[in-house]
Amino acid sequence: MAARFMRGAGNCAVRITPAPPLPRLAGRGLELANERAARGGGGAERRRSAVVAAPGVRLGLLRGGGAQDGGGLRGGGAMDRFVWSSGLLEIGESLVLQQRGVRLYDGDEKEYCIAIPLSQIVFIEEQAAGIGKSAKIVVHLHPTSSNKDPGPFQSSIYSYIKLSFKEHGQIEFYRRLSEEITQRRWENMPVSQSLQINKGAQAGRIRAVGIVGIERKLEEKRKETDKNISEAFEDLSKLMVKAREMVELSKSIANKIKEKQGDITEDETIRFKSYLLSMGIANPVTRETYGSGTYYHMQLAKQLAGILQAPLEERGGIMSLTEVYCLVNRARGLELLSPEDLVNACKMLVSLKLPIRLCVFDSGVMVIELQSHNEEEMVASALETVSEKGSLTAEEFAKLVGMSVLLAKERLLLAEKMGHLCRDDSVEGLRFYPNLFMTQSE
Amino acid sequence: MTLVLRAAGMHRRGVGAGAIAKKKLAEAKYKERGTVLAEDQLAQMSKQLDMFKTNLEEFASKHKQEIRKNPQFRVQFQDMCATIGVDPLASGKGFWSEMLGVGDFYYELGVQIIEVCLALKHRNGGLITLEELHQQVLKGRGKFAQDVSQDDLIRAIKKLKILGSGFGIIPVGGTYLIQSVPAELNMDHTVVLQLAEKKGYVTVSEIRSSLKWEVERAKQVLEHLLKEGMAWLDAQAPEESQYWLPALFTELYSQEITPEEAKEAIP
């Protein structure tokens, strides 16, 4: 059930796989089953529609399979522009973008269909999500040409289709589709079939009728949207001018501080740093990370010491900084910490004499440890574990001890650095052995 | 005409202590002025900061939704901030974050990115395409969450680098590979990854012909990628061994199978 947008050397194509329409009876359950199966990579979900794909540039839809085999294809709607397709990549095609969970509407009807040449698209626009409604892309189309290949529908009252993005992704999809429509690469392609030429001529004639009204409406809407955006941009630009003044002022103050070293009190320095923090300006004096060492970070450091005590004890006294970042922010829910906030607060742990500290391994990996934690002591027990098993990789050791692979590897590397372990580095992986050179040397 | 009477003793004293005292007084006055200057400017900055905060509040009341809903506007906003030397994502305590809500959006995205990368690390060795990361993050966020663009992901990842766990962004083909492990990837490794991006795999011969490297150099790079779990070896390929990047597997070329199916398939 993935929407795919593909581009190829000769045959450009966009393909979309909609989510299967919900059957009235089974409802949510069936949809979940399909999703579950798709996630598990089961082969049963890949049923496709019949073959015959039109050459040329295409917007295609792959039916994801499920219980809706052949059902639900009613006549009517802009769906008559579509043709059957195998859903597989054709020769010369490559995937541009694939988006899951896209539902296709025939006009406003919840239907789905197969493939359509990109040249048939007049214009596309976004429709924002609402309460109970997912975000949509509306694709306005030229009328069908009479010599189109067979497709699932013969006639239609609508001149547009809607793609409903049940699982998001419309931003990227809209962007890429817009690009393709702007570039109009199909016009540069050598047209080998007479079918193509005929289509082009007819489409040109029909274009004048009926499309003009649509285009005019869209143009008005575009202007309205543009006005809103441009007002926002204008206000933003004015705001930025003021922000720039703040940056200049902070530079001037920083210069004064540099010139008159020691004549500015500690309190004033902290005040200055907190101003920088509010604006998001890098500290021009020390070039260190923004606003480090402010009262906010001191407070935060104390909070962290409280929050992390129990989790650290559960995890053997040590956690990576990324683990801490996730843990703390998940717990907060709102008013999250930035990565820099976390690092700056942790840098103050030791100076504030808190029971946890920040350590950095040679590899650059940063961890928080309990003060009582001693990594060198842990190395001794690691050596025992490795000796018992003969040899261990970082993954095996991690599993045995119940640590993350990242930290397990760091411990083994430290043991190696201290001379207790030696490595066997092969394509099979990195394996550690007890260092017999040390223990058995005489 | 005045009569000046000067006692010899007093005159001598003037050169000594008096002059030094005068000098000290002058220095002290000068210092005082210096401190006063800084204090003035700090007070001025404090005032201007309050004014700016008010302006930002006004902007937020009119356009906060625009930032939330319009990814192009977000990009413009970020670019403008960068031009003037301001980082709106530096701190959750910053004005931008507090009033425009941009902070929470990106910091939460950071958490989701970390979790996705961790979950898939055993399969791809800590390398993942931006596209796949995007898909997985969207899945994890669920239907009712706000949509995110690839640009949003890139910005969130740039912030994660400072946590020290090896987050990096590698340009390949027309897209990016996201690294989430502290493995060292130098220029040689990166160039081979870029070469492999076209087909999802690369061979020693291809490296030699495209990059004009010696066999040893090519082999070293490929072995490093194998050891890190970022490349898988297909020794059964017809002509020569192929080094595949699981990060580049897509549904078009591959399909995940269960261990049981694997046992049946491979003799």
Side-chain angles (χ1 to χ4, degrees):
Chain A
M1 280 133 270
R4 302 149 84 187
F5 180 120
M6 288 176 277
R7 176 182 67 205
N11 274 333
C12 299
V14 172
R15 294 175 190 227
I16 303 181
T17 306
L22 292 174
R24 308 289 174 256
L25 298 170
R28 271 190 81 233
L30 190 64
E31 186 187 88
L32 281 175
N34 283 337
E35 281 180 355
R36 213 183 304 128
R39 259 201 297 273
E45 295 314 301
R46 309 288 167 128
R47 248 174 296 160
R48 304 268 155 82
S49 325
V51 186
V52 189
V57 176
R58 299 179 298 156
L59 170 75
L61 295 102
L62 302 166
R63 254 200 59 236
Q68 313 311 308
D69 207 3
L73 295 176
R74 280 178 268 148
M79 307 310 256
D80 59 341
R81 272 67 153 185
F82 283 86
V83 302
W84 292 110
S85 155
S86 69
L88 300 168
L89 276 185
E90 308 236 322
I91 296 174
E93 290 188 338
S94 62
L95 180 67
V96 172
L97 179 66
Q98 176 170 340
Q99 178 56 49
R100 313 188 96 80
V102 178
R103 172 167 282 164
L104 182 63
Y105 289 73
D106 174 11
D108 279 304
E109 309 267 22
K110 295 184 184 184
E111 292 293 343
Y112 57 95
C113 190
I114 315 302
I116 190 167
L118 285 181
S119 56
Q120 292 287 77
I121 298 178
V122 176
F123 188 66
I124 61 172
E125 57 175 338
E126 291 177 285
Q127 221 173 59
I131 301 173
K133 292 194 296 178
S134 49
K136 298 186 179 53
I137 292 179
V138 184
V139 184
H140 295 266
L141 303 160
H142 288 296
T144 335
S145 45
S146 54
N147 53 2
K148 182 186 80 64
D149 289 328
F153 301 112
Q154 299 319 307
S155 66
S156 164
I157 57 167
Y158 295 105
S159 62
Y160 63 92
I161 58 169
K162 289 186 184 181
L163 307 175
S164 167
F165 288 80
K166 291 285 180 218
E167 293 174 23
H168 295 300
Q170 73 270 12
I171 297 177
E172 281 306 318
F173 203 94
Y174 181 81
R175 183 173 76 84
R176 303 301 285 278
L177 189 53
S178 287
E179 262 174 37
E180 293 298 322
I181 290 171
T182 312
Q183 287 174 20
R184 301 183 81 86
R185 258 167 317 157
W186 56 87
E187 286 173 1
N188 302 332
M189 276 166 17
V191 173
S192 48
Q193 285 148 325
S194 54
L195 203 66
Q196 283 290 79
I197 297 168
N198 288 346
K199 247 188 224 176
Q202 275 213 324
R205 255 183 286 138
I206 296 168
R207 194 176 205 274
V209 179
I211 297 300
V212 172
I214 297 173
E215 286 187 326
R216 203 185 318 129
K217 198 173 68 166
L218 294 173
E219 185 61 36
E220 279 171 22
K221 199 161 178 208
R222 232 180 309 169
K223 284 209 181 107
E224 179 64 43
T225 315
D226 280 347
K227 201 170 74 93
N228 291 340
I229 303 269
S230 55
E231 192 195 318
F233 277 134
E234 230 184 85
D235 287 346
L236 182 64
S237 303
K238 288 190 198 140
L239 192 70
M240 286 299 165
V241 167
K242 299 201 170 77
R244 182 177 254 139
E245 284 169 17
M246 300 295 304
V247 176
E248 293 309 318
L249 181 56
S250 72
K251 281 189 190 151
S252 143
I253 293 179
N255 283 333
K256 287 239 157 28
I257 292 176
K258 244 193 287 187
E259 285 167 19
K260 307 201 185 319
Q261 283 291 3
D263 281 8
I264 183 166
T265 66
E266 168 127 1
D267 200 56
E268 284 168 337
T269 310
I270 295 183
R271 254 173 73 198
F272 181 51
K273 283 181 178 176
S274 73
Y275 296 161
L276 295 177
L277 183 72
S278 301
M279 285 299 300
I281 302 172
N283 189 335
V285 180
T286 58
R287 302 239 162 263
E288 63 192 29
T289 37
Y290 318 88
S292 59
T294 66
Y295 290 127
Y296 168 62
H297 294 110
M298 284 189 224
Q299 237 183 349
L300 194 50
K302 291 178 191 157
Q303 277 178 20
L304 287 171
I307 299 169
L308 296 175
Q309 187 75 24
L312 278 170
E313 281 166 10
E314 282 167 32
R315 289 164 178 74
I318 185 170
M319 280 172 77
S320 74
L321 210 55
T322 35
E323 276 179 272
V324 172
Y325 176 78
C326 291
L327 190 108
V328 170
N329 275 340
R330 280 254 176 255
R332 283 185 153 225
L334 286 178
E335 291 182 8
L336 305 181
L337 300 182
S338 75
E340 273 149 285
D341 286 335
L342 183 60
V343 172
N344 287 330
C346 289
K347 283 182 178 168
M348 301 185 81
L349 290 169
V350 172
S351 62
L352 292 173
K353 305 216 184 334
L354 292 163
I356 63 176
R357 62 166 176 249
L358 175 70
C359 286
V360 185
F361 287 116
D362 292 342
S363 59
V365 171
M366 293 164 89
V367 295
I368 301 293
E369 297 177 341
L370 289 170
Q371 281 286 7
S372 55
H373 180 90
N374 187 333
E375 192 66 9
E376 276 83 9
E377 279 169 15
M378 305 307 286
V379 160
S381 83
L383 175 58
E384 262 183 55
T385 314
V386 174
S387 305
E388 266 173 51
K389 300 287 176 180
S391 72
L392 286 175
T393 63
E395 288 80 18
E396 291 164 357
F397 179 62
K399 211 165 173 185
L400 268 177
V401 179
M403 283 178 88
S404 71
V405 177
L406 183 76
L407 296 180
K409 190 168 181 189
E410 291 298 331
R411 185 165 295 171
L412 294 174
L413 287 172
L414 181 62
E416 182 194 28
K417 192 171 163 186
M418 288 165 69
H420 298 299
L421 295 177
C422 51
R423 67 168 60 191
D424 174 22
D425 209 352
S426 71
V427 290
E428 311 268 311
L430 178 58
R431 186 166 283 277
F432 290 90
Y433 291 79
N435 186 357
L436 300 175
F437 294 113
M438 286 274 284
T439 57
Q440 290 182 0
S441 63
E442 214 64 279
Chain B
M1 292 277 256
T2 37
L3 182 69
V4 178
L5 288 166
R6 200 180 281 127
M10 258 164 65
H11 177 77
R12 249 203 327 268
R13 236 192 341 255
V15 167
I20 294 171
K22 222 200 292 182
K23 191 160 162 242
K24 270 206 173 135
L25 189 63
E27 267 178 7
K29 277 221 167 101
Y30 186 67
K31 260 195 182 175
E32 208 181 88
R33 261 183 75 235
T35 318
V36 164
L37 267 178
E39 176 59 46
D40 270 350
Q41 283 209 300
L42 275 182
Q44 183 193 0
M45 187 165 186
S46 173
K47 232 173 48 176
Q48 264 188 260
L49 212 62
D50 283 340
M51 265 191 346
F52 183 80
K53 193 173 174 190
T54 311
N55 289 326
L56 185 56
E57 269 168 352
E58 205 189 304
F59 179 84
S61 67
K62 286 194 346 201
H63 304 296
K64 187 172 178 175
Q65 287 309 310
E66 203 61 54
I67 293 200
R68 251 178 43 85
K69 296 209 164 147
N70 186 337
Q72 270 105 330
F73 194 58
R74 273 203 293 278
V75 171
Q76 277 282 2
F77 167 72
Q78 296 270 18
D79 285 347
M80 282 172 125
C81 285
T83 308
I84 63 171
V86 157
D87 183 358
L89 299 182
S91 171
K93 207 78 172 96
F95 287 161
W96 309 98
S97 179
E98 286 186 327
M99 273 173 257
L100 295 178
V102 275
D104 278 7
F105 173 76
Y106 285 100
Y107 307 147
E108 187 184 9
L109 196 51
V111 172
Q112 290 159 349
I113 291 168
I114 292 171
E115 290 177 344
V116 165
C117 289
L118 202 61
L120 297 175
K121 189 168 75 165
H122 67 280
R123 179 156 65 86
N124 57 31
L127 272 188
I128 187 171
T129 57
L130 184 59
E131 276 77 21
E132 192 183 350
L133 179 62
H134 187 213
Q135 291 297 315
Q136 297 288 347
V137 164
L138 286 177
K139 240 202 257 180
R141 282 167 75 89
K143 298 183 186 188
F144 302 108
Q146 194 193 337
D147 197 2
V148 299
S149 68
Q150 288 182 358
D151 182 84
D152 292 329
L153 289 175
I154 295 280
R155 291 191 195 271
I157 292 167
K158 283 187 176 157
K159 284 286 138 196
L160 291 177
K161 283 189 184 185
I162 199 181
L163 294 175
S165 290
F167 270 92
I169 302 173
I170 304 169
V172 294
T175 178
Y176 298 97
L177 280 176
I178 307 302
Q179 180 184 353
S180 59
V181 288
E184 194 224 301
L185 292 182
N186 58 30
M187 279 300 299
D188 273 9
H189 302 122
T190 307
V191 150
V192 167
L193 288 175
Q194 288 164 347
L195 195 58
E197 190 263 346
K198 302 199 184 85
K199 293 187 292 185
Y201 71 91
V202 75
T203 61
V204 174
S205 316
E206 278 167 12
I207 296 178
R208 288 187 66 201
S209 61
S210 300
L211 304 174
K212 312 281 186 258
W213 288 0
E214 299 297 319
V215 172
E216 261 320 300
R217 187 177 173 190
K219 280 202 169 150
Q220 244 185 20
V221 168
L222 292 171
E223 275 175 18
H224 180 79
L225 294 175
L226 276 180
K227 284 180 201 173
E228 294 293 342
M230 294 174 178
W232 290 1
L233 178 63
D234 178 8
Q236 295 172 331
E239 284 156 14
E240 65 177 300
S241 293
Q242 294 172 345
Y243 294 78
W244 286 79
L245 298 187
L248 300 174
F249 290 175
T250 68
E251 280 175 26
L252 298 171
Y253 303 123
S254 70
Q255 197 178 341
E256 271 200 76
I257 56 178
T258 63
E260 290 74 32
E261 287 171 311
K263 274 202 200 106
E264 287 169 38
I266 299 168

